[in-house]
Amino acid sequence: MLCCKAEKPHGKFIMVDKKNSLVETSDVLKQNLQKLDVLTKRFVTVVQKKKSLNPGLQGPGQDLTITASAAYWQNMTKNPYKILEHQVEFWGKTLQNMVDAQHAFLAGDTSTLGSKQKDARFENPLWNTNPYFNFVKNQYLQSSDLIKSTARNIDGLPEREKKRLIYFTDQIVEMMAPTNFLGTNPDALELALDTNGQSLIDGLENLIADLEANDGELIVRLADDKAFEVGKNLGTQAGKVVYRNNLLELIQYSPKTENVFEIPLVIFPPWINKFYILDLKKQNSLISWLVSKGYTVFVVSWVNPDESYSEIGMDDYITDGYLQVIQVVKSITARQQINAIGYCIGGTALGLTLAYLNKTQDSSVRAATFFTTLTDFAQQGEFSPFLQNDFIDAIEEEVSKSGILKSFIMARTFSFLRSTDLIYSPAIKSYMMGQTPPAFDLLYWNGDGSNLPGKMAIEYLRGLCQKNGFYSGEFEVNRTPVALDNICIPIFAIGCETDHIAAWKDSYRGIQLMGSKEKKFILAESGHIAGIINPPDKNKYGYYLNQDLTLNSESWRKKASYLSGSWWPEWEKWVKFYSGSQVEARKEGSKSYPPLSDAPGSYVLKKS
């Protein structure tokens, strides 16, 4: 008997003998079972070697459960009809869901199936045409709505505890989505049948490889790490390392113009991630764009700390980092002032540095720019669940043992703020469907994080995030109390509309509290990275501009003008005003600071 068989490698259909086809299928299955045995042994080995992680880093403490349960039963006692009303409505929807499924099974009529809710997880047609999958999907969505609404409608909880309850409830709901399980994921099941189980074998291989790469911790690989190499196809802008100490390498980029602006521009990226986000490739490199505009650009490449850095604190980053870099750049360029850019926590520390310079009457920085920077932590936004004592106590205990806050802990925290996009969807594609992660430079950078010194991490979390010491003036730099209103130089700040790490309203509020007379704020479309890395020739995202920074964030946004295209030219006009006249282009380094190596240097290459 003949049948039609797809030969996947060549994309052709050929006629084969069904008996032979069954033999071939049996051979493939046998080979896969042998692979499964090998993979199972590898899995057992890596799991046995996994080091236990502090339970406090895995979820909320029992206090949240106890508090939420007490509030729920108190609500039930005060207004039982409200709870019962929700339950009865849920029961009715569940019954209707079952009736529709039974009708479709018995009558073969799928016209009653489907769902009005649009959800990217349920794009496979079987979710709407197959009674089994349709029932599973609808029941999940109905249960999700009930659980989420219950958490959001509990009265009597403090606002901070309610936010934590909502966050962790949402995480559980996302985790239990039917797409996350093989038996209820039609895409994965269809592919497994089409490939005789090869997709599942490949997926298991991907899972074990990720576990092995992270000492047993499950961290989903988001990008094909074999597709990129820093210095080869990422971070390729020409330049030299002109200074190095235990915390950083300072890179000066080669000029592209005959003349450059008098005052150099120094970029302080976050030390949680690597600096090459600003130089991924020529088409979207902010560094390349600035050099082509005639700026002498320096960037700090922070060290990736190991256990020996356990006692390095915020003072060290400011003194041996910011203050030292400023002096080196002034010496190399023979100028008394620089302009500075700080990104994320790099901007927070820049703010502390500027306040300290003001207190010590040092005018080395003429003007400063803040990219998605938090300085007032009164509102903790989506990070609120991770800034409570149970979580930070666990971090403190962890760093007391290891000396560092390992990069995967921070990466996992950020990922759970967008768990569907950064955890579950990639995991499904990699582990259930056996796909190789995409060759995506931004996702590669996202996975190339850095550790944090233990002392610095706790000072930041306790002193700035929890106690809001920069706002109150209680945070000290070199034993000198500093406050937001100590920042008095001209400043320009960019917030990003959908930023889940540094919410723009909180960033805006911090800028309002600074003492500068000359202040400008832009709200860029998109998020923490895409909103900043938005080159003009892409014309992808626009921005909002309003000169009146006396308004609260809501009013500022309503009265702001929308402008299409990148904000880079708008900002560049501003920084040009503070960059002085044109001088002959500078060579990299100087007699006192000769070039040490080519960019991107060696610190950026160290993996966690």
Side-chain angles (χ1 to χ4, degrees):
M1 184 176 180
L2 298 179
C3 66
C4 189
K5 176 185 175 185
E7 293 293 331
K8 300 276 184 180
H10 305 290
K12 298 177 181 177
F13 286 92
I14 58 174
M15 301 305 293
V16 299
D17 185 271
K18 189 172 184 181
K19 182 178 180 181
N20 291 336
S21 177
L22 290 172
V23 171
E24 290 174 10
T25 300
S26 178
D27 289 342
V28 171
L29 184 59
K30 184 177 180 180
Q31 292 172 6
N32 283 338
L33 288 173
Q34 291 174 345
K35 291 180 184 177
L36 183 62
D37 183 55
V38 175
L39 290 171
T40 300
K41 291 177 181 177
R42 284 174 58 193
F43 178 78
V44 171
T45 300
V46 71
V47 169
Q48 287 176 340
K49 291 182 178 180
K50 180 183 179 297
K51 296 179 181 179
S52 60
L53 195 65
N54 191 308
L57 297 173
Q58 308 284 20
Q62 293 183 353
D63 61 316
L64 179 62
T65 305
I66 295 170
T67 305
S69 298
Y72 179 81
W73 286 110
Q74 187 177 25
N75 282 212
M76 183 72 170
T77 303
K78 286 184 177 180
N79 191 358
Y81 300 106
K82 179 181 178 182
I83 304 294
L84 288 173
E85 181 183 354
H86 291 162
Q87 289 290 338
V88 168
E89 182 182 1
F90 174 72
W91 295 340
K93 290 180 179 178
T94 299
L95 184 60
Q96 184 62 52
N97 192 18
M98 177 61 74
V99 169
D100 291 343
Q102 285 186 328
H103 176 76
F105 270 122
L106 297 174
D109 180 10
T110 60
S111 61
T112 58
L113 301 181
S115 173
K116 295 181 180 179
Q117 296 190 47
K118 291 186 178 181
D119 192 315
R121 294 171 295 182
F122 304 111
E123 290 182 346
N124 190 305
L126 287 175
W127 289 114
N128 289 328
T129 60
N130 181 282
Y132 165 70
F133 287 115
N134 184 259
F135 175 80
V136 169
K137 178 195 70 172
N138 287 342
Q139 196 59 35
Y140 167 74
L141 292 174
Q142 290 163 12
S143 299
S144 299
D145 288 344
L146 176 66
I147 294 169
K148 288 184 176 183
S149 66
T150 299
R152 283 160 173 75
N153 290 320
I154 289 181
D155 298 324
L157 275 177
E159 185 63 25
R160 183 171 293 181
E161 291 299 294
K162 189 167 185 176
K163 285 182 178 179
R164 295 177 72 208
L165 176 64
I166 291 171
Y167 170 80
F168 287 112
T169 299
D170 289 349
Q171 290 303 316
I172 293 172
V173 167
E174 294 296 324
M175 182 177 65
M176 298 308 295
T179 47
N180 296 338
F181 302 90
L182 177 62
T184 49
N185 186 319
D187 294 299
L189 289 171
E190 285 180 322
L191 187 60
L193 290 173
D194 289 344
T195 61
N196 294 318
Q198 186 61 50
S199 60
L200 298 179
I201 295 295
D202 293 341
L204 186 56
E205 174 68 51
N206 290 342
L207 170 63
I208 294 171
D210 285 355
L211 287 169
E212 290 173 338
N214 296 286
D215 296 324
E217 289 293 339
L218 182 55
I219 302 173
V220 184
R221 198 158 36 105
L222 298 177
D224 182 1
D225 51 15
K226 296 178 182 178
F228 300 104
E229 185 177 351
V230 179
K232 298 293 184 181
N233 55 1
L234 296 175
T236 59
Q237 185 65 28
K240 301 287 184 182
V241 174
V242 294
Y243 175 76
R244 178 186 295 124
N245 65 17
N246 70 316
L247 274 182
L248 62 91
E249 288 182 327
L250 180 64
I251 299 170
Q252 180 182 356
Y253 289 96
S254 306
K256 294 181 179 179
T257 55
E258 292 184 4
N259 295 308
V260 296
F261 289 103
E262 178 185 6
I263 296 180
L265 186 60
V266 185
I267 304 174
F268 294 96
W271 53 86
I272 295 174
N273 297 102
K274 308 290 180 66
F275 81 88
Y276 63 87
I277 185 61
L278 301 166
D279 185 33
L280 284 177
K281 50 192 175 185
K282 187 176 180 180
Q283 301 93 307
N284 61 0
S285 171
L286 176 62
I287 290 171
S288 177
W289 186 79
L290 287 169
V291 173
S292 70
K293 291 291 182 180
Y295 293 91
T296 302
V297 179
F298 293 81
V299 72
V300 171
S301 175
W302 299 103
V303 74
N304 190 350
D306 57 25
E307 293 79 359
S308 66
Y309 284 76
S310 61
E311 291 304 312
I312 296 295
M314 288 294 292
D315 269 356
D316 298 292
Y317 273 89
I318 292 173
T319 302
D320 297 335
Y322 288 74
L323 298 178
Q324 181 64 20
V325 163
I326 290 169
Q327 294 308 314
V328 170
V329 173
K330 285 167 58 178
S331 174
I332 290 175
T333 60
R335 291 297 180 270
Q336 293 303 306
Q337 288 186 308
I338 68 147
N339 289 324
I341 299 173
Y343 194 165
C344 191
I345 190 176
T348 305
L350 175 60
L352 293 168
T353 303
L354 296 176
Y356 175 76
L357 290 174
N358 176 269
K359 294 290 286 282
T360 57
Q361 299 182 338
D362 186 327
S363 59
S364 292
V365 182
R366 186 173 186 184
T369 302
F370 296 95
F371 292 170
T372 61
T373 295
L374 295 178
T375 50
D376 174 17
F377 293 85
Q379 301 294 323
Q380 298 167 348
E382 293 186 59
F383 264 103
S384 181
F386 300 104
L387 294 176
Q388 308 313 309
N389 281 330
D390 54 357
F391 191 72
I392 297 181
D393 286 347
I395 287 179
E396 199 159 15
E397 185 177 337
E398 181 71 20
V399 301
S400 69
K401 296 176 182 177
S402 64
I404 55 174
L405 179 59
K406 295 177 182 178
S407 64
F408 83 86
I409 295 175
M410 295 300 294
R412 188 177 62 177
T413 301
F414 292 142
S415 294
F416 270 112
L417 296 176
R418 293 292 182 270
S419 56
T420 297
D421 296 329
L422 296 178
I423 297 178
Y424 299 121
S425 292
I428 290 167
K429 292 175 182 176
S430 183
Y431 304 153
M432 283 192 204
M433 307 186 76
Q435 297 178 6
T436 300
F440 188 5
D441 53 1
L442 180 58
L443 290 179
Y444 175 84
W445 168 86
N446 189 69
D448 188 17
S450 292
N451 303 320
L452 300 180
K455 181 179 179 181
M456 171 265 139
I458 297 305
E459 287 177 343
Y460 176 77
L461 292 170
R462 296 287 192 200
L464 292 172
C465 297
Q466 281 195 324
K467 296 180 181 178
N468 202 12
F470 199 7
Y471 167 81
S472 65
E474 296 175 0
F475 197 86
E476 293 186 354
V477 175
N478 290 336
R479 298 184 180 179
T480 302
V482 294
L484 282 167
D485 61 5
N486 296 144
I487 300 173
C488 297
I489 64 171
I491 56 174
F492 194 117
I494 297 93
C496 295
E497 194 171 24
T498 58
D499 194 332
H500 65 289
I501 294 174
W504 79 265
K505 293 180 180 180
D506 301 329
S507 176
Y508 173 79
R509 188 178 61 254
I511 299 301
Q512 284 184 303
L513 294 168
M514 293 179 183
S516 307
K517 293 181 180 179
E518 167 66 29
K519 292 188 280 192
K520 196 167 184 177
F521 186 87
I522 272 179
L523 177 60
E525 290 184 310
S526 196
H528 193 71
I529 301 301
I532 298 297
I533 310 305
N534 183 26
D537 58 354
K538 295 285 185 181
N539 199 31
K540 192 170 184 180
Y541 301 115
Y543 61 97
Y544 297 89
L545 179 62
N546 185 343
Q547 302 288 357
D548 187 358
L549 269 64
T550 64
L551 302 170
N552 63 38
S553 57
E554 291 290 346
S555 299
W556 184 94
R557 172 68 175 77
K558 288 178 181 178
K559 296 182 179 181
S561 301
Y562 175 78
L563 297 98
S564 60
S566 172
W567 56 264
W568 289 10
E570 180 81 32
W571 167 74
E572 194 268 332
K573 285 189 296 183
W574 179 88
V575 80
K576 182 191 295 185
F577 179 80
Y578 295 102
S579 296
S581 58
Q582 295 270 308
V583 298
E584 186 178 349
R586 305 173 172 105
K587 293 182 179 180
E588 304 92 325
S590 66
K591 185 176 180 180
S592 299
Y593 296 99
L596 303 175
S597 65
D598 290 333
S602 59
Y603 281 10
V604 72
L605 303 179
K606 183 180 177 182
K607 299 288 185 180
S608 296

